[in-house]
Amino acid sequence: MIDFDHVTRTYGPRTAVADLSLSIPRGELFALLGPNGAGKTTTIRMLVGLLHPSRGAIRVCGHDLVSNPRAAHLHIGYVPDEPCLYDKLTGREFLWFIADMFGMPRHLAGARIDREIEHFELGEFADDLAERYSLGMKQRLVFAASLLHDPDVLVLDEPMVGLDPRSVRIVKDLLAARTREGMTVFMSTHTLAMAEEMADRVGIMVRGQLRFLGTLAELREQMTLETTTLEQMYLELTAPRGTAS
Ligand code: ATP
């Protein structure tokens, strides 16, 4: 469903992502972990077509993000790390705008908009201007927008930032339900408890390189620590050189 094929991204002399090869099958929830500056956002921005790889290729549902971006985008929903809305549109107007961008017929768009307003409990403020929204309200609206076209692949950059506990529960339940139906989720997160609870596999990226790829059970097998919480293993794998215990 998602294929990274020897992907490298440089910024001038700096290599942010180095020779990343990774395949995520349909229905998997994959969590990309790693310290600040590891290359997670760069990876995600390439996956949604906002950045081009310097080398290598990325395909979503078989469509190359560089040579066939329009076909790839129709399969992708994206929730960026900072919600990006139009201050002078209401939440509902924003959802209509997104539905129009995907070319959805009016009757289908109306039904999907109502569906997502209900899922994300946006009803109380859907007709207020976005400039009045709190961070969490913006985040919930962006989630709703990302799911309107029923994407095959949902890409989330730090999805839980700004969400209150009830909204976190809504998002977790929704991700679990959608992945059961076959949607693939690629998310970056610093919330290890979320990865531990939700992810089928994790990738741990350090300085642009995947240092681990697999299930938590595989990670536990590989590590020789006495305690095997994800936090403990993560800290061990990502410790700056020379400080690992
Ligand atoms: P965080 O957890 O802090 O969000 P991250 O894992 O998402 O970090 P990236 O934002 O992908 O990391 O950054 C990876 C590396 O690329 C860092 O060294 C960063 O300084 C560098 N970088 C990112 N964007 C740019 C840019 N536009 N120009 C130059 N260097 C950049």
Side-chain angles (χ1 to χ4, degrees), residues 122-133:
L122 307 176
E124 267 182 41
F125 54 88
D127 296 307
D128 293 342
L129 291 178
E131 66 186 4
R132 293 190 209 145
Y133 286 9

Side-chain angles (χ1 to χ4, degrees), residues 11-12 14-17 34-43 81 157-158 188 190 205:
Y11 296 106
R14 175 174 297 169
T15 300
V17 174
N36 295 135
K40 304 179 300 297
T41 294
T42 301
T43 302
D81 50 351
D157 197 352
E158 278 296 339
S188 79
H190 290 298
M205 187 174 254

Side-chain angles (χ1 to χ4, degrees), residues 14-230:
R14 175 174 297 169
T15 300
V17 174
D19 197 28
L20 175 66
S21 287
L22 175 62
S23 288
I24 316 285
R26 181 173 187 274
E28 178 166 299
L29 194 153
F30 178 81
L32 185 61
L33 314 175
N36 295 135
K40 304 179 300 297
T41 294
T42 301
T43 302
I44 280 189
R45 289 172 71 84
M46 290 191 289
L47 175 57
V48 299
L50 290 172
L51 280 177
H52 286 180
S54 309
R55 286 190 294 284
I58 304 172
R59 286 177 293 278
V60 168
C61 300
H63 304 291
D64 186 284
L65 258 301
V66 173
S67 62
N68 205 358
R70 181 72 189 141
H73 287 154
L74 292 175
H75 295 277
I76 298 174
Y78 174 43
V79 179
D81 50 351
E82 286 175 16
C84 185
L85 299 172
Y86 296 101
D87 282 351
K88 299 299 178 193
L89 291 185
T90 67
R92 195 184 302 276
E93 287 166 346
F94 180 73
L95 294 174
W96 274 106
F97 170 67
I98 299 296
D100 283 347
M101 286 218 307
F102 279 102
M104 290 170 61
R106 302 288 295 172
H107 67 281
L108 180 64
R112 294 271 179 88
I113 288 169
D114 289 346
R115 180 188 75 181
E116 296 308 334
I117 285 178
E118 192 186 330
H119 272 157
F120 288 98
E121 301 180 354
L122 307 176
E124 267 182 41
F125 54 88
D127 296 307
D128 293 342
L129 291 178
E131 66 186 4
R132 293 190 209 145
Y133 286 9
S134 69
L135 175 62
M137 289 153 88
K138 288 181 183 171
Q139 192 74 344
R140 277 154 62 185
L141 180 62
V142 173
F143 254 105
S146 74
L147 290 166
L148 275 183
H149 61 301
D150 278 347
D152 294 305
V153 171
L154 184 64
V155 182
L156 311 171
D157 197 352
E158 278 296 339
M160 298 311 177
V161 172
L163 293 182
D164 63 25
R166 182 173 173 80
S167 306
V168 169
R169 188 70 264 161
I170 291 171
V171 168
K172 283 181 180 173
D173 289 348
L174 195 118
L175 295 182
R178 290 288 186 113
T179 48
R180 270 198 303 276
E181 290 164 8
M183 189 175 77
T184 306
V185 177
F186 188 105
M187 70 172 179
S188 79
T189 184
H190 290 298
T191 314
L192 298 181
M194 158 103 180
E196 198 155 24
E197 180 185 340
M198 305 280 304
D200 296 303
R201 284 191 305 161
V202 298
I204 300 182
M205 187 174 254
V206 182
R207 287 183 287 275
Q209 309 219 344
L210 257 197
R211 188 153 296 176
F212 173 80
L213 173 64
T215 63
L216 284 182
E218 287 164 350
L219 182 55
R220 285 193 181 99
E221 263 174 40
Q222 183 182 307
M223 307 290 289
T224 50
L225 295 170
E226 277 179 18
T227 47
T228 51
T229 64
L230 178 57

